[in-house]
Amino acid sequence: MEDLNLNNKKILIRVDFNVPIQNNHITSDMRIRASIPTIQLALKQNAKVIIMSHLGRPQEGKYQKKFSLFPVFEYLKKIFKKNKVSFSNNLDKIKIHSGELLVLENVRFNIGEKNNDIVLSKKYAALCDIFVMDAFGSAHRKESSTFGVGMFAKIACAGPLLISELKALRTALKNPRRPMIAVIGGSKISTKFKLLKSLARIADTVIVGGAIANTFLAIDYRIGQSLYEPKFIDMAKEIRNQYNILIPIDSRVGTSFSTKSPAIVKKPFEIHDNEEIMDLGDKSINNIKNIIKKSKTILWNGPLGVFEFPNFNVGTKELAQSIADSTAFSIAGGGETLSVINMFNIQDKISYISTGGGAFLEFIEGNKLPAIYMLEMVKKTLQNVM
C-alpha cells in the first residue's frame, strides 16, 4: 500500500475489527487502534476509504444486532473528527468522496462470505480501485473478504499492519537472538500440539502453563479434577522427552471452579482427587522469572492459569510483568493473551503485540496463510503481464 498513489482512489481495506463488545460498548480497542495508522495513511493521501471486517460468528445472511459493526463506526467517528465518517449495510449503494471514510456492516452478514463465493468476491472488488489486505488476524481464512476480493480487484496489496506483523514474527522465528523462550498457555493442548512441536524445535526453552501444563503433569501424576486431555498424554510425553519443556513443579489448586475458591499451593503428588489445578505455584513462578531474565527473544501465547479469578492469576500476572520488565525482543499474540496484556496494562512494554489469534498460530506452525498466498499470486500475475 505504501508504494501506491492513493490520491482520489477508492481504497477498500480489510481490517480486523473483531473486538469484544458488551452493551454496545467496545471493551478492548487494541485491534482497532492497530489499524488506525493504515486508515490515516489513506485519508492523508485524499483517498476514498472503505473499510470492512467481520465481528463474531453470526448466522450468515441474517442480521443480528449484537454482531453489528455500528459501535465500531461510532468509535471511529470520534477518532476521525476532521473527516466525514459514514456507515453502510448495502453493498449496492456506496457513495463516498475523497477524504471520507465509510464503514461497511459485518461481512459475515453477507451470504457467501465464508465460502469465498465468487459473486460476492467480485461485488467487493467492484467497490474499489485498490484492495488492501491489512487484517493479519484473518489472514488464515480463505473467505470472500480476505481472499476472493483480492483475486478480482484491479490492484491488491498488503497493508502496513500486515507487513509489520509478518516482519515481527519472522524476526522472532527465523533468526532469533538467544536464548529464545516460548511461553504456551491455554486450555487445550490438542489445538496447540503442532504449535508446541514447531516452537520446541527452535526455542531454547518452552514454558507451558494452564491446562496444557496439566496434560504434561498427567504423564506422571494423578491431578484430581484438573482440566487436561488424556488422549494427548503420549504425545506430550514424546515432546517432553525430546525437547526442553519447563513443566510446573508446584501449583495453586482449588476445590471448585469459582472466584470464591481459596488457592492452596501444592506439589503435583500432593493433589487430592477433589482438587483442581488453576494456577502455578510460587516455585514454578520463580523458575519462569529466572529464565525470562536471561532471555533475548520471547514468544508468548496464552495465560498460565485461570487469570480471570483473582486467587488464580498470580502466575499469569508474574509472567506478564517479567516479560514487560525484560530487555528481550518480545512478541505476544492470541485473544486471551491480548486480554491479559490489557488487564495488567503492559501494552507499551511488549516489543510487538500481534493482532492475530488463529493466524498467529498458523504462521508459527509454518502453514501458508491463504491471504498471503493470494497476494503472492496477484504479484506473480502482475509481473507476468508486465
Side-chain angles (χ1 to χ4, degrees), residues 149-217:
V149 56
M151 301 302 289
F152 296 106
K154 297 170 189 172
I155 298 174
C157 62
L161 179 59
L162 178 65
I163 290 170
S164 64
E165 294 265 10
L166 295 174
K167 282 182 177 177
L169 280 167
R170 283 168 182 158
T171 298
L173 298 173
K174 292 293 171 93
N175 190 25
R177 293 177 62 214
R178 296 193 180 276
M180 178 192 175
I181 310 303
V183 183
I184 307 297
S187 59
K188 289 186 176 182
I189 194 173
S190 55
T191 60
K192 295 186 179 181
F193 181 70
K194 284 178 67 180
L195 174 72
L196 269 169
K197 288 200 78 168
S198 296
L199 286 174
R201 291 189 192 105
I202 59 172
D204 296 289
T205 305
V206 176
I207 297 167
V208 291
I212 290 174
N214 294 347
T215 301
F216 280 94
L217 287 169

Coordinates of all heavy atoms in Angstrom, one line a residue, residues 149-217:
V149 N -11.8 -11.4 -2.9 CA -11.8 -10.0 -3.4 C -10.4 -9.6 -4.0 O -10.4 -8.9 -5.0 CB -12.1 -9.0 -2.2 CG1 -11.2 -9.2 -1.1 CG2 -12.1 -7.6 -2.7
G150 N -9.3 -10.1 -3.4 CA -8.0 -9.8 -4.0 C -7.7 -10.4 -5.3 O -7.0 -9.8 -6.1
M151 N -8.4 -11.5 -5.6 CA -8.2 -12.1 -6.9 C -8.9 -11.4 -8.0 O -8.6 -11.6 -9.2 CB -8.7 -13.6 -6.8 CG -8.0 -14.5 -5.8 SD -6.2 -14.6 -6.0 CE -6.1 -15.6 -7.4
F152 N -9.9 -10.6 -7.7 CA -10.7 -9.9 -8.7 C -10.5 -8.4 -8.7 O -10.9 -7.7 -9.6 CB -12.2 -10.2 -8.6 CG -12.5 -11.7 -8.8 CD1 -12.8 -12.5 -7.7 CD2 -12.5 -12.2 -10.0 CE1 -13.1 -13.9 -7.9 CE2 -12.8 -13.6 -10.3 CZ -13.1 -14.4 -9.2
A153 N -9.8 -7.9 -7.7 CA -9.6 -6.4 -7.6 C -8.6 -5.9 -8.7 O -7.8 -6.7 -9.1 CB -9.1 -6.0 -6.2
K154 N -8.8 -4.7 -9.1 CA -7.9 -4.1 -10.1 C -6.4 -4.2 -9.6 O -5.5 -4.6 -10.3 CB -8.2 -2.7 -10.5 CG -9.6 -2.5 -11.1 CD -10.0 -1.0 -11.1 CE -11.5 -0.9 -11.5 NZ -11.9 0.5 -11.4
I155 N -6.3 -3.8 -8.4 CA -5.0 -3.9 -7.7 C -5.2 -4.4 -6.3 O -6.1 -4.0 -5.6 CB -4.3 -2.5 -7.6 CG1 -4.0 -1.9 -9.0 CG2 -3.0 -2.6 -6.8 CD1 -3.5 -0.5 -9.0
A156 N -4.4 -5.4 -5.8 CA -4.4 -5.9 -4.5 C -3.1 -5.8 -3.9 O -2.1 -6.1 -4.5 CB -4.9 -7.3 -4.5
C157 N -3.0 -5.3 -2.6 CA -1.7 -5.2 -2.0 C -1.8 -5.4 -0.5 O -2.9 -5.5 0.1 CB -1.2 -3.8 -2.2 SG -2.2 -2.5 -1.6
A158 N -0.6 -5.5 0.2 CA -0.6 -5.7 1.6 C -0.6 -4.3 2.3 O 0.1 -3.4 1.8 CB 0.7 -6.5 2.0
G159 N -1.3 -4.2 3.4 CA -1.3 -3.0 4.2 C -0.1 -3.0 5.2 O 0.5 -4.0 5.5
P160 N 0.2 -1.8 5.8 CA 1.3 -1.7 6.7 C 1.3 -2.6 7.9 O 2.3 -3.1 8.4 CB 1.3 -0.2 7.1 CG 0.5 0.5 6.0 CD -0.5 -0.6 5.5
L161 N 0.1 -2.8 8.5 CA -0.1 -3.6 9.7 C 0.2 -5.1 9.4 O 1.0 -5.7 10.1 CB -1.5 -3.5 10.3 CG -1.8 -4.3 11.5 CD1 -0.8 -4.0 12.6 CD2 -3.2 -4.2 12.0
L162 N -0.3 -5.5 8.2 CA 0.0 -6.9 7.8 C 1.5 -7.1 7.7 O 2.1 -8.1 8.1 CB -0.7 -7.2 6.5 CG -0.5 -8.7 6.0 CD1 -1.0 -9.7 6.9 CD2 -1.1 -8.8 4.6
I163 N 2.2 -6.2 7.0 CA 3.6 -6.3 6.8 C 4.4 -6.3 8.1 O 5.3 -7.1 8.3 CB 4.1 -5.2 5.8 CG1 3.6 -5.4 4.4 CG2 5.6 -5.1 5.8 CD1 3.8 -4.3 3.4
S164 N 4.0 -5.4 9.0 CA 4.7 -5.3 10.3 C 4.5 -6.6 11.1 O 5.4 -7.0 11.8 CB 4.2 -4.1 11.1 OG 2.9 -4.2 11.4
E165 N 3.3 -7.2 11.0 CA 3.1 -8.5 11.7 C 4.0 -9.5 11.2 O 4.6 -10.3 12.0 CB 1.6 -8.9 11.5 CG 0.6 -8.0 12.1 CD 0.1 -8.5 13.5 OE1 0.7 -9.4 14.0 OE2 -0.9 -8.0 14.0
L166 N 4.1 -9.6 9.9 CA 4.9 -10.7 9.3 C 6.4 -10.5 9.6 O 7.1 -11.4 9.9 CB 4.7 -10.7 7.8 CG 3.3 -11.1 7.3 CD1 3.2 -10.9 5.8 CD2 3.0 -12.5 7.7
K167 N 6.9 -9.2 9.6 CA 8.3 -8.9 9.9 C 8.6 -9.2 11.3 O 9.6 -9.8 11.6 CB 8.5 -7.4 9.6 CG 8.7 -7.0 8.2 CD 9.1 -5.6 8.0 CE 9.3 -5.2 6.6 NZ 9.6 -3.7 6.4
A168 N 7.7 -8.9 12.3 CA 7.9 -9.2 13.7 C 8.0 -10.7 13.9 O 8.9 -11.2 14.7 CB 6.8 -8.6 14.5
L169 N 7.1 -11.5 13.3 CA 7.1 -12.9 13.5 C 8.3 -13.5 12.9 O 8.9 -14.5 13.5 CB 5.8 -13.5 12.9 CG 4.6 -13.4 13.8 CD1 3.3 -13.8 13.0 CD2 4.7 -14.3 15.0
R170 N 8.7 -13.1 11.7 CA 9.9 -13.6 11.1 C 11.2 -13.3 11.9 O 12.1 -14.1 12.0 CB 10.0 -13.1 9.7 CG 9.1 -13.8 8.7 CD 9.0 -13.1 7.4 NE 8.0 -13.8 6.5 CZ 7.4 -13.2 5.5 NH1 7.6 -11.9 5.2 NH2 6.5 -13.9 4.8
T171 N 11.2 -12.1 12.5 CA 12.3 -11.7 13.4 C 12.4 -12.7 14.6 O 13.5 -13.1 14.9 CB 12.1 -10.3 14.0 OG1 12.1 -9.4 12.9 CG2 13.2 -9.9 14.9
A172 N 11.3 -13.1 15.1 CA 11.2 -14.0 16.3 C 11.5 -15.4 15.9 O 12.1 -16.2 16.7 CB 9.9 -13.9 17.0
L173 N 11.2 -15.8 14.7 CA 11.3 -17.2 14.3 C 12.5 -17.6 13.4 O 13.0 -18.7 13.6 CB 10.0 -17.7 13.6 CG 8.7 -17.5 14.4 CD1 7.5 -17.8 13.5 CD2 8.7 -18.5 15.6
K174 N 12.9 -16.7 12.5 CA 13.9 -17.1 11.5 C 15.3 -17.1 12.1 O 16.1 -18.0 11.9 CB 13.8 -16.2 10.3 CG 12.5 -16.4 9.5 CD 12.4 -17.7 8.8 CE 11.1 -18.0 8.2 NZ 10.9 -17.7 6.8
N175 N 15.6 -16.0 12.8 CA 17.0 -15.9 13.3 C 17.0 -15.2 14.6 O 17.5 -14.1 14.8 CB 17.9 -15.1 12.3 CG 19.3 -15.2 12.7 OD1 19.8 -16.1 13.3 ND2 20.1 -14.2 12.3
P176 N 16.3 -15.8 15.6 CA 16.1 -15.1 16.9 C 17.4 -15.0 17.7 O 18.3 -15.8 17.6 CB 15.2 -16.1 17.7 CG 15.5 -17.4 17.1 CD 15.8 -17.2 15.6
R177 N 17.5 -13.9 18.5 CA 18.6 -13.7 19.4 C 18.3 -14.7 20.5 O 17.2 -15.0 21.0 CB 18.6 -12.3 20.0 CG 19.0 -11.2 18.9 CD 18.9 -9.8 19.6 NE 19.8 -9.7 20.6 CZ 19.6 -8.9 21.7 NH1 18.4 -8.3 21.9 NH2 20.5 -8.8 22.7
R178 N 19.4 -15.3 21.0 CA 19.2 -16.4 22.0 C 19.8 -16.0 23.4 O 20.7 -15.2 23.4 CB 19.9 -17.7 21.5 CG 19.2 -18.2 20.2 CD 19.6 -19.6 19.9 NE 18.9 -20.0 18.7 CZ 17.7 -20.6 18.7 NH1 17.0 -20.7 19.8 NH2 17.1 -20.9 17.5
P179 N 19.3 -16.6 24.4 CA 18.3 -17.7 24.4 C 16.9 -17.2 24.0 O 16.5 -16.1 24.3 CB 18.2 -18.1 25.9 CG 19.4 -17.5 26.6 CD 19.7 -16.3 25.8
M180 N 16.2 -18.1 23.2 CA 14.8 -17.8 22.8 C 13.9 -18.7 23.7 O 14.1 -19.9 23.8 CB 14.6 -18.2 21.4 CG 13.2 -18.0 20.9 SD 12.8 -18.8 19.3 CE 11.0 -18.4 19.3
I181 N 12.9 -18.0 24.2 CA 11.9 -18.6 25.1 C 10.6 -18.6 24.5 O 10.1 -17.5 24.0 CB 11.9 -17.9 26.5 CG1 13.3 -17.8 27.1 CG2 11.0 -18.7 27.5 CD1 14.1 -19.0 27.2
A182 N 9.8 -19.7 24.5 CA 8.4 -19.7 24.1 C 7.5 -20.0 25.3 O 7.9 -20.9 26.1 CB 8.2 -20.7 23.0
V183 N 6.5 -19.2 25.4 CA 5.5 -19.4 26.5 C 4.2 -19.8 25.9 O 3.6 -19.0 25.2 CB 5.4 -18.2 27.4 CG1 4.4 -18.5 28.6 CG2 6.7 -17.7 27.9
I184 N 3.7 -21.0 26.2 CA 2.5 -21.5 25.6 C 1.5 -21.9 26.8 O 1.8 -22.8 27.5 CB 2.7 -22.8 24.7 CG1 3.8 -22.5 23.7 CG2 1.4 -23.2 24.1 CD1 3.4 -21.4 22.7
G185 N 0.4 -21.2 26.8 CA -0.6 -21.5 27.8 C -1.9 -21.7 27.2 O -2.1 -21.7 26.0
G186 N -3.0 -21.9 28.0 CA -4.3 -22.1 27.4 C -4.9 -23.4 27.9 O -4.4 -24.1 28.7
S187 N -6.1 -23.7 27.4 CA -6.9 -24.8 27.9 C -6.7 -26.1 27.1 O -7.0 -27.1 27.7 CB -8.4 -24.4 27.9 OG -8.8 -24.1 26.6
K188 N -6.3 -26.0 25.9 CA -6.2 -27.3 25.1 C -4.9 -27.5 24.4 O -4.5 -26.7 23.6 CB -7.3 -27.3 24.0 CG -8.7 -27.4 24.6 CD -9.8 -27.5 23.5 CE -11.2 -27.8 24.0 NZ -12.1 -27.9 22.9
I189 N -4.3 -28.6 24.7 CA -3.0 -29.0 24.1 C -3.4 -29.5 22.6 O -2.5 -29.4 21.7 CB -2.3 -30.1 24.8 CG1 -0.8 -30.2 24.3 CG2 -3.0 -31.4 24.8 CD1 0.1 -31.1 25.1
S190 N -4.6 -30.0 22.4 CA -5.0 -30.5 21.1 C -4.9 -29.4 20.0 O -4.6 -29.7 18.9 CB -6.4 -31.1 21.2 OG -7.3 -30.2 21.7
T191 N -5.3 -28.2 20.4 CA -5.3 -27.1 19.4 C -3.9 -26.5 19.3 O -3.7 -25.7 18.3 CB -6.3 -26.0 19.8 OG1 -5.9 -25.5 21.1 CG2 -7.7 -26.5 19.9
K192 N -3.0 -26.8 20.2 CA -1.7 -26.2 20.1 C -0.5 -27.2 20.1 O 0.6 -26.9 20.3 CB -1.5 -25.3 21.4 CG -2.4 -24.1 21.4 CD -2.1 -23.1 22.5 CE -3.1 -22.0 22.5 NZ -2.8 -21.0 23.5
F193 N -0.9 -28.5 19.7 CA 0.1 -29.5 19.7 C 1.2 -29.2 18.6 O 2.4 -29.3 18.8 CB -0.5 -30.9 19.5 CG 0.4 -32.0 19.4 CD1 1.1 -32.4 20.6 CD2 0.7 -32.7 18.2 CE1 2.0 -33.5 20.5 CE2 1.6 -33.7 18.2 CZ 2.3 -34.1 19.3
K194 N 0.7 -28.9 17.4 CA 1.6 -28.6 16.3 C 2.4 -27.3 16.6 O 3.6 -27.2 16.3 CB 0.8 -28.3 15.0 CG 0.3 -29.6 14.3 CD -0.5 -29.3 13.1 CE 0.3 -28.7 12.0 NZ -0.5 -28.4 10.8
L195 N 1.8 -26.4 17.3 CA 2.5 -25.1 17.7 C 3.6 -25.5 18.7 O 4.8 -25.0 18.5 CB 1.5 -24.2 18.4 CG 2.1 -22.9 19.0 CD1 2.6 -22.0 17.9 CD2 1.1 -22.2 19.9
L196 N 3.3 -26.3 19.6 CA 4.3 -26.8 20.6 C 5.5 -27.4 20.0 O 6.7 -27.1 20.3 CB 3.7 -27.8 21.6 CG 3.1 -27.2 22.9 CD1 2.3 -28.3 23.6 CD2 4.1 -26.6 23.8
K197 N 5.2 -28.3 19.0 CA 6.3 -29.0 18.3 C 7.2 -28.1 17.5 O 8.4 -28.1 17.5 CB 5.8 -30.2 17.5 CG 5.3 -31.4 18.3 CD 5.2 -32.6 17.4 CE 6.5 -33.2 17.2 NZ 6.4 -34.6 16.6
S198 N 6.5 -27.1 16.8 CA 7.2 -26.2 16.0 C 8.1 -25.3 16.8 O 9.3 -25.0 16.4 CB 6.2 -25.3 15.2 OG 5.4 -26.1 14.3
L199 N 7.6 -24.8 17.9 CA 8.4 -23.9 18.8 C 9.5 -24.7 19.5 O 10.6 -24.1 19.7 CB 7.5 -23.2 19.7 CG 6.6 -22.1 19.1 CD1 5.7 -21.5 20.1 CD2 7.5 -21.0 18.6
A200 N 9.2 -25.9 19.9 CA 10.2 -26.7 20.6 C 11.4 -26.9 19.8 O 12.5 -27.0 20.3 CB 9.6 -28.0 21.1
R201 N 11.2 -27.0 18.5 CA 12.4 -27.2 17.6 C 13.3 -26.0 17.5 O 14.5 -26.1 17.3 CB 11.9 -27.5 16.2 CG 11.2 -28.9 16.0 CD 10.9 -29.2 14.5 NE 10.0 -30.3 14.4 CZ 8.7 -30.2 14.1 NH1 8.2 -29.0 13.8 NH2 8.0 -31.3 13.9
I202 N 12.8 -24.8 17.7 CA 13.6 -23.6 17.6 C 13.9 -22.8 18.9 O 14.8 -22.1 18.9 CB 13.0 -22.6 16.5 CG1 11.6 -22.2 17.0 CG2 12.9 -23.2 15.2 CD1 11.0 -21.0 16.1
A203 N 13.0 -23.1 19.9 CA 13.2 -22.4 21.2 C 14.2 -23.1 22.1 O 14.4 -24.3 22.0 CB 11.9 -22.2 21.9
D204 N 14.9 -22.4 22.9 CA 15.8 -23.0 23.8 C 15.1 -23.6 25.0 O 15.4 -24.6 25.5 CB 16.8 -22.0 24.4 CG 17.7 -21.4 23.2 OD1 18.6 -22.2 22.8 OD2 17.5 -20.3 22.8
T205 N 14.0 -23.0 25.4 CA 13.1 -23.5 26.4 C 11.6 -23.2 26.0 O 11.3 -22.0 25.6 CB 13.4 -22.8 27.8 OG1 14.7 -23.0 28.1 CG2 12.5 -23.4 28.9
V206 N 10.7 -24.1 26.2 CA 9.3 -23.9 26.1 C 8.7 -24.0 27.5 O 8.7 -25.0 28.1 CB 8.6 -24.9 25.1 CG1 7.1 -24.7 25.1 CG2 9.2 -24.8 23.7
I207 N 8.0 -22.9 27.9 CA 7.4 -22.8 29.2 C 5.9 -23.1 28.9 O 5.2 -22.5 28.1 CB 7.5 -21.5 29.8 CG1 9.0 -21.2 30.1 CG2 6.6 -21.4 31.1 CD1 9.2 -19.7 30.5
V208 N 5.3 -24.1 29.6 CA 3.9 -24.5 29.4 C 3.1 -24.1 30.7 O 3.6 -24.2 31.8 CB 3.7 -26.0 29.1 CG1 4.2 -26.3 27.7 CG2 4.4 -26.9 30.1
G209 N 1.9 -23.7 30.5 CA 1.0 -23.4 31.6 C -0.4 -23.7 31.3 O -0.7 -24.2 30.2
G210 N -1.3 -23.4 32.2 CA -2.7 -23.7 32.1 C -3.0 -25.2 31.9 O -2.2 -26.1 32.4
A211 N -4.1 -25.6 31.2 CA -4.4 -27.0 31.1 C -3.4 -27.7 30.2 O -3.3 -28.9 30.2 CB -5.8 -27.1 30.5
I212 N -2.7 -27.0 29.4 CA -1.6 -27.6 28.6 C -0.6 -28.2 29.5 O -0.1 -29.3 29.3 CB -1.0 -26.6 27.6 CG1 -2.0 -26.2 26.5 CG2 0.3 -27.1 27.0 CD1 -1.5 -25.1 25.6
A213 N -0.2 -27.4 30.5 CA 0.8 -28.0 31.5 C 0.2 -29.2 32.3 O 0.9 -30.1 32.6 CB 1.2 -26.9 32.5
N214 N -1.1 -29.1 32.5 CA -1.8 -30.2 33.2 C -1.6 -31.5 32.5 O -1.5 -32.6 33.1 CB -3.2 -29.9 33.5 CG -3.5 -28.8 34.4 OD1 -2.6 -28.3 35.1 ND2 -4.7 -28.3 34.4
T215 N -1.7 -31.5 31.1 CA -1.6 -32.7 30.3 C -0.1 -33.3 30.5 O 0.0 -34.5 30.5 CB -1.9 -32.4 28.9 OG1 -3.2 -31.9 28.8 CG2 -1.8 -33.7 28.0
F216 N 0.9 -32.4 30.6 CA 2.2 -32.8 30.8 C 2.4 -33.4 32.2 O 3.0 -34.5 32.4 CB 3.2 -31.7 30.7 CG 3.6 -31.4 29.2 CD1 2.9 -30.4 28.5 CD2 4.6 -32.1 28.6 CE1 3.2 -30.1 27.2 CE2 4.9 -31.8 27.3 CZ 4.2 -30.8 26.6
L217 N 1.7 -32.8 33.2 CA 1.8 -33.3 34.6 C 1.1 -34.7 34.7 O 1.5 -35.5 35.5 CB 1.1 -32.3 35.6 CG 1.9 -31.0 35.9 CD1 1.0 -30.0 36.6 CD2 3.1 -31.3 36.7

